[in-house]
């Protein structure tokens, strides 16, 4: 965001110093210095437009709030600098006058006395900050940016800045891996695609800053990244649009930097601001946090509505998941009971089942496990086109059912199929109750996916629900059913993909 600054300095030497420093501020647009209080008030009244706050309207409400005319706010500078030796009106009286007549302007006082008494008096008059003399670049930049951010927030309520983002409203879901290689990025990508297929606006953020692979999985080459937003104090809609890549699937992609060492430029403050800006524009924000915790993705996990922890059902991964949960708890990032663990690459014969994972980590475990079927994924992974994964893929069905479980897919049918004991096959391989062929069609389908194994190769129907029962295949004995898309046969040995 470009910060328009109007300095009001009566002392020539101080005016030259202020002008020199303002010219060095990033995204600053300083106006020529005005020399007295009368010139300042006239300049603000002219910028606000006719009837927006002339000398005869001292203490009146600006036209932007009284008449709803945004132009009265848009023309005003975001920040006004008032020197203590301004005249003829005293500096504090001038600040009070500006605050009353132009409440969308942030005023900063420049003074040699930055003590608590003057600071309190300036705040009472309506100032947004104090800068001490002699001027320091860092202090001046910090006060100007803080005042500009406050001014932008006020203008949202006054309706005078359409480029300023409102407060957060979208759902934030973070996906973190217990360790590398457990399927974190595949999970994040498929959750984002499922939410998008349900008609929601979705942003997919790659916050694995050193080794993010979202761009590789979706075959994207884009020069903008998270780093381009890290140094911006106030992220507007236009700035966000420049950094986000509009993928042909409809996803908005905010990618990790190609140079991993630049990930250090994204700190927790920048991450919070970026996530807040995305939530204000998208209904769903999915953040791939990778497996290495840094200040940026730790801030995302802390802000998340839902924090997913992906693990595989083996001792090493479960131990890593337990370490991750304890780390979050020690750093007060997130409690174990507020974390949802997703068990990936689950088979019927796996010794570590979801109930044991929940007991070991102290977290909630998603009701939808993801089967092990890498053969289904390999062509899409190698080609970098994860969006082309077949609808009959058991991995895709499971992850899209997980999206419905998390509320990212608003599908009553999916919730019914997921919650019904008749729609699921137990991990022991025994079906609780068979469903007739007539009820299998269209039951529990997640938006955008094909029932696949539910209808069977010969169309007879196996009684499975996509993303749930279908992931366990059909019973042995039917050659047609044996050719279904289920990852393993409950009655026989499982051949891992």
């Amino acid at each position: 965001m470009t910060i328009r600054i109007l300095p009001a300095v009566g002392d020539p030497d101080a005016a030259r110093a202020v002008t020199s420093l303002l010219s060095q501020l990033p995204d600053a647009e300083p106006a020529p210095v005005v020399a007295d209080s009368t010139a300042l008030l006239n300049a603000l009244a002219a910028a606000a437009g006719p009837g927006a706050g002339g000398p005869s309207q001292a203490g009146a409400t600006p036209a932007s709030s009284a008449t709803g005319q945004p132009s009265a706010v848009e023309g005003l500078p975001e920040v006004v600098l008032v020197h203590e030796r301004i005249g003829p009106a005293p500096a504090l009286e001038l600040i009070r006058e500006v605050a009353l007549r132009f409440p969308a302007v942030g005023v900063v006082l420049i003074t040699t006395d930055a003590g608590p008494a003057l600071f309190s008096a300036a705040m009472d008059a309506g100032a947004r900050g104090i800068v001490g003399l002699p001027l320091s670049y860092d202090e001046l930049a910090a006060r100007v940016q803080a005042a500009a951010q406050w001014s932008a927030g006020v203008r949202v309520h006054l309706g005078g800045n359409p480029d300023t983002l409102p407060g957060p409203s979208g759902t934030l879901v973070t996906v973190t891996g217990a360790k590398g290689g457990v399927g974190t990025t595949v999970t994040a990508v498929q959750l984002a695609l499922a939410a998008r297929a349900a008609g929601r606006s979705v942003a997919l953020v790659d916050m694995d800053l050193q080794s993010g692979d979202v761009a590789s999985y979706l075959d994207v080459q884009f020069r903008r990244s998270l780093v381009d937003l890290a140094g911006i104090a106030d992220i507007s809609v236009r700035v966000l649009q420049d950094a986000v890549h509009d993928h042909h699937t409809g996803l908005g992609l905010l990618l990790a930097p190609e140079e991993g060492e630049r990930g250090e430029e994204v700190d927790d403050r920048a991450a919070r601001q970026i996530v807040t800006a995305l939530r204000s524009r998208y209904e769903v924000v999915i953040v791939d946090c990778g497996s290495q915790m840094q200040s940026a993705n730790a801030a995302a996990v802390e802000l998340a509505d839902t924090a997913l922890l992906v693990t595989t059902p083996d001792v090493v991964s479960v131990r890593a998941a337990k370490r991750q949960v304890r780390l979050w708890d020690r750093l007060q990032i997130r409690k174990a009971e507020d974390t949802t663990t997703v068990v990936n690459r689950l088979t019927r014969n796996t010794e570590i089942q979801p109930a044991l994972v929940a007991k070991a980590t102290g977290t909630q475990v998603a009701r939808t496990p993801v089967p092990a079927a890498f053969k289904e994924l390999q062509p899409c992974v190698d080609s970098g086109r994860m969006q082309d994964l077949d609808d009959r893929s058991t991995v895709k069905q499971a992850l899209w059912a997980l999206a419905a479980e998390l509320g990212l897919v608003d599908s009553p049918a999916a919730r019914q199929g997921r919650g019904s004991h008749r729609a699921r096959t137990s991990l022991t391989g025994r079906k609780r109750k068979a469903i007739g062929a007539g009820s299998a069609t269209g039951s529990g389908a997640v938006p955008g996916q094909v029932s696949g194994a539910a209808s069977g190769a010969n169309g007879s129907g196996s009684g499975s629900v996509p993303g749930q029962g279908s992931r366990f295949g059909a019973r042995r004995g039917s050659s047609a059913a044996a050719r279904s898309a289920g990852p393993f046969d409950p009655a026989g040995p499982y051949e891992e993909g």
Side-chain angles (χ1 to χ4, degrees), residues 8-19 21 81-86 91 108-115 118 129-137 139-140 143:
V9 185
D11 182 71
D13 294 334
R16 284 191 294 269
V18 169
T19 302
L21 288 178
L81 300 178
V82 176
H83 191 266
E84 63 177 353
R85 296 173 60 183
I86 193 72
V108 177
L109 175 63
I110 302 176
T111 177
T112 55
D113 179 18
L118 181 61
I130 291 181
V131 179
L133 291 171
L135 291 175
S136 166
Y137 173 82
E139 185 182 9
L140 180 62
R143 298 296 175 267

Side-chain angles (χ1 to χ4, degrees), residues 259-338:
E259 304 83 6
E261 66 274 9
R262 296 199 63 193
E264 298 179 357
E265 300 177 27
V266 185
D267 56 10
D268 57 340
R269 181 203 61 81
R272 291 176 185 275
Q273 190 173 13
I274 291 170
V275 167
T276 301
L278 289 169
R279 292 178 68 185
S280 66
R281 185 183 177 196
Y282 294 91
E283 296 177 80
V284 177
V285 179
I286 309 289
V287 181
D288 179 3
C289 294
S291 58
Q292 298 295 324
M293 289 307 300
Q294 301 168 339
S295 60
N297 48 26
V301 172
E302 184 180 0
L303 294 174
D305 298 302
T306 302
L308 299 181
L309 182 61
V310 182
T311 184
T312 50
D314 57 85
V315 173
V316 176
S317 295
V318 174
R319 284 178 177 173
K322 187 175 182 179
R323 286 197 305 268
Q324 189 74 274
V325 170
R326 288 180 173 179
L327 173 65
W328 289 351
D329 185 63
R330 288 195 306 271
L331 299 179
Q332 297 183 353
I333 296 173
R334 201 170 193 89
K335 296 181 179 179
E337 54 268 26
D338 295 332

Side-chain angles (χ1 to χ4, degrees), residues 205-217:
V205 185
D206 194 350
M207 209 167 278
D208 186 0
L209 297 174
Q210 291 187 351
S211 54
D213 283 324
V214 168
S216 300
Y217 276 79

Side-chain angles (χ1 to χ4, degrees), residues 113 158 182 194 201 242 279 354 390 399:
D113 179 18
L158 295 180
V182 295
S201 59
D242 290 340
R279 292 178 68 185
D390 197 302
L399 288 174

